[in-house]
């Protein structure tokens, strides 16, 4: 987490995010994010769909993906406080909101992204990026998410 925080502190763009080494963005994702953030200048963050893939790049755990996608249309502070339905690889946020919310908590061993999402949300809410997935989250037995 320390390295992610260092990168976030060094970021100079208005819209920031991080992508872990084994995750990936889909073609056109960054352009779509920029369009949504421009359309909703008051929102602290935006998010879109994110597939879960295995080590070979095959989509897995589709039930979890569909469950998360079901909450996108009814996204609210109440729902995000109850359910972690925003996938970190498909979340982008304003640098100004990050500075106000604070960086990743380095004392947590898991769910530091969810903790940050909750704090970012308080800085102006979120906008949904509709359509195809923005990213893929690679899940495998050795990943932090699988172990925690």
């Amino acid at each position: 987490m320390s390295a992610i925080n260092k990168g976030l502190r060094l970021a100079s763009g208005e819209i920031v995010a991080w992508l872990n080494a084994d995750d990936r963005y889909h073609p056109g994702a960054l352009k779509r994010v920029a369009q949504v953030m421009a359309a909703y200048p008051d929102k602290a963050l935006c998010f879109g769909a994110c597939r879960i893939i295995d080590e070979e790049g095959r989509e897995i755990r589709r039930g979890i993906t569909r469950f998360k996608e079901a909450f996108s249309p009814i996204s609210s502070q109440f729902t995000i406080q109850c359910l972690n339905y925003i996938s970190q690889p498909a979340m982008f946020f304003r640098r100004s909101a990050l500075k106000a919310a604070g960086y990743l908590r380095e004392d947590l061993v898991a769910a530091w992204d969810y903790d940050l999402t909750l704090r970012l949300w308080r800085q102006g809410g979120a906008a949904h990026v509709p359509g195809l997935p923005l990213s893929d989250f690679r899940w495998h037995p050795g990943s932090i998410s699988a172990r925690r």
Side-chain angles (χ1 to χ4, degrees):
M1 260 171 306
S2 177
I4 297 169
N5 275 337
K6 182 178 180 179
L8 291 171
R9 283 186 179 97
L10 291 172
S12 60
E14 172 54 24
I15 301 169
V16 294
W18 80 90
L19 191 67
N20 294 311
D22 52 356
D23 300 339
R24 62 188 182 194
Y25 290 133
H26 285 231
L30 302 180
K31 181 179 181 179
R32 292 170 51 213
V33 165
Q35 291 169 338
V36 167
M37 292 298 266
Y40 297 94
D42 58 324
K43 298 298 181 186
L45 65 105
C46 74
F47 68 97
C50 178
R51 298 183 324 152
I52 303 170
I53 59 172
D54 65 12
E55 293 158 307
E56 306 301 319
R58 296 178 298 244
E59 187 173 9
I60 59 172
R61 306 182 82 185
R62 289 185 181 146
I64 293 171
T65 300
R66 302 303 169 257
F67 175 82
K68 287 184 170 198
E69 289 173 352
F71 287 92
S72 298
I74 57 170
S75 205
S76 70
Q77 185 166 350
F78 174 77
T79 54
I80 194 61
Q81 288 176 333
C82 297
L83 297 164
N84 183 8
Y85 58 90
I86 296 177
S87 296
Q88 176 271 312
M91 180 177 76
F92 300 79
F93 39 94
R94 297 190 190 282
R95 191 165 45 98
S96 56
L98 176 63
K99 285 185 176 183
Y103 293 85
L104 293 166
R105 286 185 46 196
E106 296 184 25
D107 61 318
L108 299 176
V109 294
W112 56 80
D113 52 343
Y114 182 47
D115 173 72
L116 178 62
T117 302
L118 293 173
R119 289 184 284 119
L120 285 168
W121 196 287
R122 292 183 200 116
Q123 303 306 314
H128 180 249
V129 181
L132 297 172
L134 295 175
S135 60
D136 290 336
F137 168 73
R138 196 174 308 271
W139 188 96
H140 54 85
S143 66
I144 292 173
S145 295
R147 294 188 323 251
R148 305 280 181 191

